[in-house]
Amino acid sequence: MVTAAQPATTSTFSPLTTWDGWQQFVDTPHAPARDADDQEWTLEQREDYHARFVVLKTPAMDTISTAVRRLLLLNRGQQGGARRGLIISGPATTGKTTAMQQLGRTVELADRRRHPNQDGRLPVLFITVPPSSTPKMLISEFARFLGLPALERMNQIQITNAVCELLCEMGTQLVLVDDVHLMDTRSRAGAETSDQLKYLGERIPATFVYSGIDVESSPLLTGVRGSQLAGRFKIVRNQPLRYGSPADKQIWHDLVRSMDSALRLRHHRPGTLVTHAAYLHARTGGRMGSLSHLIREAALVSLLDGTEKITKNGHCTWRTGPGLSPGNCGPTATPPTSWRRQRAGRGFTWDFGTGRIRRSPPVWRTPAPTPPSTATSPHRSTAASTASPWAGGCRTTGNSPRCHPNTSRNSRRWIRGGGRRGQ
């Protein structure tokens, strides 16, 4: 029988994809929120508090937790065959990995309460799919989490048998697999890795939960393998939070208010983040990962420069997403010089609220009739000079004339050339 290496009692950092790192993550409680004016709370301790900060429970996390709880009950009495699983899908930085880790931590703590004083149990296993993964690379991630020795002298079948035997003995209930979108089933290695994951799901009596970026549109759910996987797994979308209806705004305001109350800055005015909730949503796009990064970094910057307060202008000192650059965010932003030089007058506008380039479609209006003019040009006939600015389907005023889509190519060239065809 193969035995796993017991977690070492050390304070060194270990990744969550190892037994030591996972036990360290589960056993470490959240730092207590002390009073900001407490003189015994050193600057370094407050920096550590804001660097880790708080994990907020979103509606998507409640949905995922409820779905996994039902699947655990459904798969508990199933001895063989296809067990049901869950796929957490959504855009990047929406909190998929955080939701998965908090779910595993909750299941682990609940299992410890049901089975006290029982060492050697492993109710939860957490791994990530390596890039360009092969079946042996994937099963090696399972073995690395368990601490199995001498992997280089074992082939794929031996590692698989050892992993499955050990997980069955340790009572594993939940297997969390992150970054499944990296498995490209269009290649041979990706297809074989997907088959290996399916095989592990049949041999290990546990509930599998996958997480990835837009999994439903990835090659993982296409073809014969994808249809089988989609029939066994339920997909839960972890979308960015909206800010349209009053209910959506209330959810966002509650999350921002929770972050505001968790701050421990000596000069911070309570409620400041709630006042700028709309700006924070426009800045982060409703993504919890971006919001957490923005607030944590703003708090750390305020601790380093001694201001110890978060202001709206302070958010413009770093880049937080596409289209945003230092000094170019917020309502007072101005487009960069390169953008003004390249995009001016070409159907693009600068959004001063989000600091991004947007395409502005032309609006076709019926111009007011112009009085006839008797002045003539040496390059333009009298009929052309007395026509409206929209003569020939094009607006002749401005630096960049716009033409109606039905305008012929020769008419457009005639307008741009000032009445000289072919220029």
Side-chain angles (χ1 to χ4, degrees):
M1 181 185 68
V2 181
T3 58
Q6 296 297 326
T9 58
T10 178
S11 59
T12 58
F13 170 78
S14 299
L16 294 182
T17 54
T18 60
W19 192 344
D20 295 348
W22 180 257
Q23 297 299 320
Q24 200 175 53
F25 167 73
V26 175
D27 295 335
T28 303
H30 294 291
R34 302 165 63 178
D35 188 10
D37 296 329
D38 189 355
Q39 299 299 329
E40 296 182 357
W41 202 11
T42 64
L43 177 61
E44 184 178 358
Q45 292 176 346
R46 288 194 294 150
E47 290 175 353
D48 294 339
Y49 168 80
H50 288 94
R52 192 173 183 184
F53 210 39
V54 294
V55 178
L56 302 178
K57 180 177 273 189
T58 62
M61 295 177 67
D62 292 335
T63 303
I64 294 170
S65 178
T66 303
V68 172
R69 191 180 304 114
R70 294 174 181 175
L71 290 174
L72 289 174
L73 295 175
L74 181 64
N75 296 330
R76 180 183 299 176
Q78 189 167 355
Q79 298 297 329
R83 296 178 179 84
R84 301 300 173 179
L86 185 71
I87 297 178
I88 305 174
S89 177
T93 69
T94 53
K96 299 181 297 299
T97 302
T98 301
M100 177 181 290
Q101 293 173 356
Q102 294 300 319
L103 172 66
R105 188 174 187 269
T106 302
V107 173
E108 177 103 10
L109 294 177
D111 183 83
R112 292 181 182 180
R113 290 191 295 266
R114 288 194 303 266
H115 305 279
N117 302 325
Q118 291 188 11
D119 297 334
R121 290 186 59 85
L122 183 65
V124 180
L125 183 143
F126 176 79
I127 68 165
T128 58
V129 177
S132 304
S133 177
T134 61
K136 186 173 182 180
M137 292 172 60
L138 180 65
I139 196 61
S140 297
E141 289 294 317
F142 282 79
R144 187 169 67 93
F145 184 94
L146 298 172
L148 295 178
L151 295 179
E152 61 275 1
R153 296 192 298 268
M154 302 170 62
N155 56 32
Q156 176 184 337
I157 299 178
Q158 293 174 341
I159 300 176
T160 303
N161 293 333
V163 167
C164 295
E165 177 186 354
L166 189 56
L167 291 180
C168 292
E169 293 180 359
M170 302 182 72
T172 303
Q173 304 174 12
L174 187 63
V175 177
L176 307 176
V177 183
D178 198 9
D179 293 337
V180 294
H181 60 275
L182 297 178
M183 290 189 300
D184 189 358
T185 55
R186 294 172 297 185
S187 63
R188 179 178 178 180
E192 293 177 351
T193 304
S194 177
D195 295 340
Q196 173 77 350
L197 200 57
K198 171 180 170 294
Y199 177 72
L200 294 175
E202 294 176 351
R203 287 197 55 180
I204 302 173
T207 300
F208 279 68
V209 178
Y210 301 158
S211 175
I213 299 176
D214 297 332
V215 180
E216 61 272 18
S217 59
S218 65
L220 185 63
L221 299 181
T222 58
V224 178
R225 294 181 177 88
S227 61
Q228 187 181 32
L229 184 64
R232 297 182 179 183
F233 282 75
K234 177 182 178 181
I235 299 179
V236 175
R237 288 288 299 178
N238 192 11
Q239 296 280 21
L241 297 177
R242 300 179 180 179
Y243 199 75
S245 64
D248 297 337
K249 293 181 180 179
Q250 184 63 35
I251 294 175
W252 181 259
H253 286 184
D254 292 341
L255 294 173
V256 174
R257 187 177 294 106
S258 300
M259 281 193 170
D260 186 275
S261 60
L263 291 173
R264 292 298 182 266
L265 303 175
R266 294 176 178 174
H267 303 295
H268 177 70
R269 182 181 301 176
T272 302
L273 299 184
V274 183
T275 305
H276 302 294
Y279 166 76
L280 291 174
H281 187 275
R283 187 75 192 276
T284 61
R287 291 173 166 83
M288 288 304 301
S290 300
L291 177 65
S292 176
H293 174 77
L294 184 67
I295 301 304
R296 287 187 294 116
E297 188 170 357
L300 293 174
V301 169
S302 66
L303 288 173
L304 293 176
D305 59 18
T307 58
E308 296 206 21
K309 63 180 179 179
I310 297 180
T311 60
K312 185 176 180 181
N313 294 331
H315 289 167
C316 296
T317 58
W318 59 83
R319 184 183 180 93
T320 314
L324 295 179
S325 57
N328 289 291
C329 59
T332 60
T334 56
T337 305
S338 60
W339 179 85
R340 290 198 300 265
R341 182 175 63 252
Q342 296 177 5
R343 298 297 188 185
R346 298 188 184 179
F348 293 88
T349 58
W350 182 266
D351 193 331
F352 291 91
T354 60
R356 301 183 180 181
I357 301 173
R358 296 185 181 275
R359 183 184 295 274
S360 57
V363 179
W364 307 105
R365 300 185 180 91
T366 303
T370 57
S373 176
T374 58
T376 60
S377 172
H379 301 288
R380 187 176 298 179
S381 61
T382 305
S385 62
T386 58
S388 67
W390 292 88
C394 295
R395 189 179 63 178
T396 59
T397 57
N399 298 329
S400 179
R402 298 179 179 177
C403 301
H404 195 272
N406 295 332
T407 307
S408 63
R409 179 179 179 183
N410 292 333
S411 299
R412 298 179 185 180
R413 294 175 62 185
W414 187 85
I415 293 296
R416 295 191 183 98
R420 296 184 295 273
R421 185 178 299 275
Q423 299 183 7

